[in-house]
Amino acid sequence: MKINNRRYTGSKYKLMPWIKELILENCPEHDSLFDVFGGTGVVTSELLEITSSNVINDFLFSNETIYKAFFGKEKYDLKKLQAHVKRYGEINKSELDNNYVSDNYGDKYFRYEDAKLIGFIREELQQEYDSELINQREFNILLASLLYSFDRCANTVGHYEAYIKGKEIRSEFIYELIEPIECNNKIEIYREDSNELAKQVVADVAFIDPPYNSRQYSRFYHVMETITKWEKPKLAGTAMKPPEENMSDYCRNSAPKVFAELIESLNVKYIVVTYNNTYDSKSSSSRNKITLEQIKEILEKKGKTQIFETDYHRFNAGKTDAADHKELVFITRVGA
């Protein structure tokens, strides 16, 4: 599986040819990239060929693991990884004991038998890593492969805010490997507060695709976070969520203020910001916390700003009218 082969709200994968062209045309110096809100990692991945130095950051534990799996530099034994795939494919799920995943997510997010296998794999990976039977890169690749594999069969609409009720779960879990990305780029991976990290990074281009509405990504992808961290917290509510953590100010009314602070802190030559025009959404959770006018005003204080737009059919769970939806890209030449 490639880095884009997962379901993720706001993924820019289909827009990347257009975005890359805009960067090449409007950011003549683009050797180093700071991907401030890395998300799926597809922006960094798609821009590797026009950069040589990359910094990617995201505050989700699962995304950090995925970045280390795809972009890490430590050597790994492919035959060892393939042996894991073969063995997991031969396991009789019905003979497995109940575990944390099956107890909490079975017949909810996954078929019960699949949940037992997912939990078994996660527990074994931790034991193998703790026993030094696999190195850190191999652990990250195998764990990221687990995340991508169960995301394909999860009983959801594309995120984990809730599972689909009242229907038989037909999808079946199959464990497959991700395909790590081989490149010569210097890549630094962080899981830090973006506003704090921005004070430390120097780059040619900062790419910014922050969450704009009230949907907290740590809650949207709580199943991935819980299985990644493997601290086995007590889960609550219909959606089986852990206690709140990693709550972003970009999903609150303070979003314009923290965005302005981020832009002010950046030490780059060009700032590329993506934005979608769902500010007047009927769904309160979809409604943007920062308006297009606020984005423009904040960026123009930093330098000369151009706005580009394209039609785009985005993910829609049903409450929001997606007609006339547009994706916008702001490009600011700092200090101009």
Side-chain angles (χ1 to χ4, degrees), residues 11 136 190 256 296:
S11 173
Q136 187 174 55
Y190 294 94
K296 183 179 178 182

Side-chain angles (χ1 to χ4, degrees), residues 235-301:
L235 307 181
T238 304
M240 304 302 293
K241 292 183 179 180
E244 287 186 356
E245 67 171 357
N246 275 1
M247 305 298 277
S248 174
D249 286 336
Y250 285 87
C251 302
R252 299 185 170 114
N253 291 333
S254 58
K257 179 176 181 291
V258 293
F259 180 78
E261 292 171 352
L262 171 67
I263 298 302
E264 179 60 31
S265 298
L266 287 170
N267 187 358
V268 296
K269 297 169 184 174
Y270 300 92
I271 301 171
V272 180
V273 179
T274 60
Y275 182 86
N276 58 68
N277 63 345
T278 57
Y279 184 74
D280 295 322
S281 169
K282 296 175 183 177
S283 167
S284 60
S285 60
S286 296
R287 196 168 300 131
N288 286 354
K289 296 297 183 183
I290 314 178
T291 66
L292 185 151
E293 291 74 20
Q294 288 171 320
I295 296 279
K296 183 179 178 182
E297 180 182 354
I298 291 167
L299 288 174
E300 285 182 338
K301 290 180 181 178

Side-chain angles (χ1 to χ4, degrees), residues 3 22 71 79 136 148 171 187 222 230 271 280 333:
I3 196 168
L22 289 177
F71 302 124
K79 289 184 178 179
Q136 187 174 55
Y148 271 65
S171 297
I187 300 180
H222 65 93
W230 207 233
I271 301 171
D280 295 322
R333 185 155 66 94

Side-chain angles (χ1 to χ4, degrees), residues 138-323:
E138 290 163 347
F139 172 74
N140 286 323
I141 291 172
L142 290 167
L143 178 51
S145 298
L146 178 63
L147 300 178
Y148 271 65
S149 295
F150 76 60
D151 189 51
R152 284 188 161 185
C153 73
N155 179 39
T156 69
V157 296
H159 54 72
Y160 298 82
E161 179 67 19
Y163 56 88
I164 300 171
K165 303 176 182 67
K167 292 184 180 180
E168 181 184 355
I169 305 175
R170 296 183 180 277
S171 297
E172 184 171 356
F173 171 76
I174 299 174
Y175 185 84
E176 298 179 66
L177 283 181
I178 62 161
E179 184 178 326
I181 296 170
E182 306 296 336
C183 69
N184 295 320
N185 296 49
K186 176 186 176 183
I187 300 180
E188 298 177 41
I189 297 168
Y190 294 94
R191 185 180 51 78
E192 293 189 16
D193 180 291
S194 56
N195 284 42
E196 293 301 316
L197 185 60
K199 299 172 184 177
Q200 307 168 35
V201 174
V202 179
D204 292 328
V205 179
F207 186 92
I208 303 174
D209 181 29
Y212 287 122
N213 55 48
S214 63
R215 293 192 173 106
Q216 293 280 354
Y217 275 66
S218 61
R219 309 306 278 167
F220 246 32
Y221 297 97
H222 65 93
V223 174
M224 284 195 159
E225 289 291 274
T226 298
I227 292 177
T228 297
K229 293 177 68 179
W230 207 233
E231 295 176 351
K232 303 177 184 176
K234 183 177 180 180
L235 307 181
T238 304
M240 304 302 293
K241 292 183 179 180
E244 287 186 356
E245 67 171 357
N246 275 1
M247 305 298 277
S248 174
D249 286 336
Y250 285 87
C251 302
R252 299 185 170 114
N253 291 333
S254 58
K257 179 176 181 291
V258 293
F259 180 78
E261 292 171 352
L262 171 67
I263 298 302
E264 179 60 31
S265 298
L266 287 170
N267 187 358
V268 296
K269 297 169 184 174
Y270 300 92
I271 301 171
V272 180
V273 179
T274 60
Y275 182 86
N276 58 68
N277 63 345
T278 57
Y279 184 74
D280 295 322
S281 169
K282 296 175 183 177
S283 167
S284 60
S285 60
S286 296
R287 196 168 300 131
N288 286 354
K289 296 297 183 183
I290 314 178
T291 66
L292 185 151
E293 291 74 20
Q294 288 171 320
I295 296 279
K296 183 179 178 182
E297 180 182 354
I298 291 167
L299 288 174
E300 285 182 338
K301 290 180 181 178
K302 192 76 170 180
K304 182 180 178 181
T305 301
Q306 301 178 79
I307 305 176
F308 307 87
E309 68 175 49
T310 186
D311 293 327
Y312 182 59
H313 297 291
R314 64 180 186 84
F315 167 80
N316 179 18
K319 290 185 179 180
T320 300
D321 183 3

Side-chain angles (χ1 to χ4, degrees), residues 10-15 18 276-277 310-315 322-328:
S11 173
K12 294 296 181 286
Y13 177 67
K14 293 181 180 179
L15 290 166
W18 175 61
N276 58 68
N277 63 345
T310 186
D311 293 327
Y312 182 59
H313 297 291
R314 64 180 186 84
F315 167 80
D324 195 33
H325 176 76
K326 295 183 183 299
E327 190 80 24
L328 292 91

Side-chain angles (χ1 to χ4, degrees), residues 15-69:
L15 290 166
M16 282 312 300
W18 175 61
I19 291 173
K20 183 191 290 187
E21 184 179 350
L22 289 177
I23 291 174
L24 287 171
E25 290 177 354
N26 298 281
C27 308
E29 297 174 86
H30 51 257
D31 190 58
S32 54
L33 174 74
F34 178 19
D35 193 350
V36 183
F37 300 87
T40 59
V42 298
V43 172
T44 290
S45 173
E46 292 295 309
L47 297 180
L48 286 175
E49 64 181 23
I50 67 169
T51 58
S52 65
S53 178
N54 304 78
V55 174
I56 183 169
N57 177 62
D58 197 277
F59 71 152
L60 294 189
F61 289 86
S62 52
N63 285 346
E64 179 191 30
T65 292
I66 288 166
Y67 304 157
K68 288 180 176 179

